[in-house]
Amino acid sequence: YPVIHLCGQDTGMYDALNRGIARATGDAIYILNDDDAIADAGVFRFLSACMEQTAADVVYGDIFWLNQESRKQTLRRNNQINKLTLVHKGINQQAILHRTTVYQRCGVYDQGYRIAGDYEWLLRAFLKNDISATYLRHPVAVCSLGGLSNAEQWRQRASEERQRAIQTWYSEREIARARAYRKFYRKLPLGTLLFQLFQPLTLRIRTVRVSGGSFVPDLAAALGY
């Protein structure tokens, strides 16, 4: 594979990412930070095959959080993503394979953000551009607990930027309903189905798992299990 190493002045992480996206020539783009790693050697084979079979704009899976001191890994699943859970729970950038054309449709990362630009892009992509996605129940990356967004001195700024992104793409009523959904309805049997009677939740997301070398519907993941 050809490797292009760019080193020079930039205005921040998202400026650097946007430069990389502009130089990319493949059909799909995957972003990995320098202190993270892919989960196993088959990750890109799984993700690219899933993207081809489901014709999704993005395919995403799960990640492991790695505690650098204890070396303990904790699985973080992305199995319950809908319009209102995105208010409180994004999808880690390292879990996502992006079809190159999705950046042409949705635009690149907003450089007005220093930490939460990938979260703002996710909201913009789903809520404004109605992208299609496939969730594959498979670990994609191992991510270090640390980095810019987890550093103590940046946590307040990260929280403020996330709130700015939320207020950009959600109404006050939707934000209030997201709190109620998270606190009460999501915990009830059939609570999500009942909640959808007065607040649409569904995004264009398919849930699949690998079975016999092919991708089949994962109904348990679709229900949040």
Side-chain angles (χ1 to χ4, degrees):
Y1 296 93
V3 176
I4 301 174
H5 180 211
L6 303 178
C7 183
Q9 293 288 332
D10 59 60
T11 61
M13 175 172 61
Y14 298 111
D15 180 22
L17 290 179
N18 290 342
R19 293 186 189 193
I21 291 168
R23 295 290 295 269
T25 58
D27 296 325
I29 293 174
Y30 178 75
I31 297 169
L32 189 70
N33 296 328
D34 60 359
D35 56 347
D36 301 327
I38 58 172
D40 60 69
V43 161
F44 295 129
R45 177 169 56 86
F46 276 118
L47 292 179
S48 59
C50 185
M51 177 171 281
E52 181 177 355
Q53 181 173 314
T54 64
D57 294 315
V58 299
V59 174
Y60 64 93
D62 304 319
I63 66 164
F64 287 108
W65 282 116
L66 172 65
N67 186 308
Q68 291 285 8
E69 294 183 1
S70 67
R71 308 306 297 173
K72 179 181 178 181
Q73 294 185 9
T74 304
L75 180 65
R76 184 187 191 275
R77 296 187 58 209
N78 289 310
N79 58 316
Q80 192 175 34
I81 300 295
N82 62 46
K83 187 173 182 180
L84 291 190
T85 59
L86 278 175
V87 174
H88 305 286
K89 174 187 177 181
I91 304 172
N92 295 82
Q93 191 175 54
Q94 300 93 324
I96 306 173
L97 180 68
H98 309 76
R99 194 179 293 275
T100 303
T101 53
V102 81
Y103 286 108
Q104 299 168 6
R105 285 177 51 198
C106 303
V108 292
Y109 298 103
D110 185 341
Q111 295 177 36
Y113 292 82
R114 295 297 303 275
I115 303 173
D118 51 314
Y119 177 66
E120 187 279 333
W121 185 91
L122 200 67
L123 298 185
R124 185 184 350 137
F126 275 118
L127 303 179
K128 179 182 178 181
N129 295 280
D130 192 31
I131 66 167
S132 62
T134 299
Y135 167 63
L136 173 63
R137 190 197 292 263
H138 188 83
V140 173
V142 180
C143 303
S144 297
L145 282 170
L148 193 60
S149 61
N150 290 306
E152 187 66 35
Q153 64 269 32
W154 286 94
R155 284 180 182 170
Q156 181 62 33
R157 178 159 186 169
S159 176
E160 292 172 356
E161 288 193 359
R162 285 179 66 89
Q163 287 302 311
R164 174 154 60 97
I166 291 166
Q167 291 168 0
T168 297
W169 296 110
Y170 287 95
S171 68
E172 290 299 324
R173 175 179 292 183
E174 288 172 324
I175 294 171
R177 287 182 173 180
R179 295 193 189 103
Y181 173 72
R182 184 187 188 193
K183 190 172 183 180
F184 300 110
Y185 290 92
R186 194 174 63 168
K187 300 176 183 179
L188 297 174
L190 303 179
T192 296
L193 295 177
L194 293 173
F195 197 85
Q196 290 210 84
L197 295 176
F198 61 92
Q199 173 66 58
L201 298 177
T202 306
L203 299 170
R204 290 208 295 145
I205 299 175
R206 298 173 61 179
T207 58
V208 301
R209 58 184 175 84
V210 180
S211 176
S214 60
F215 301 99
V216 299
D218 189 339
L219 299 180
L223 295 173
Y225 299 103

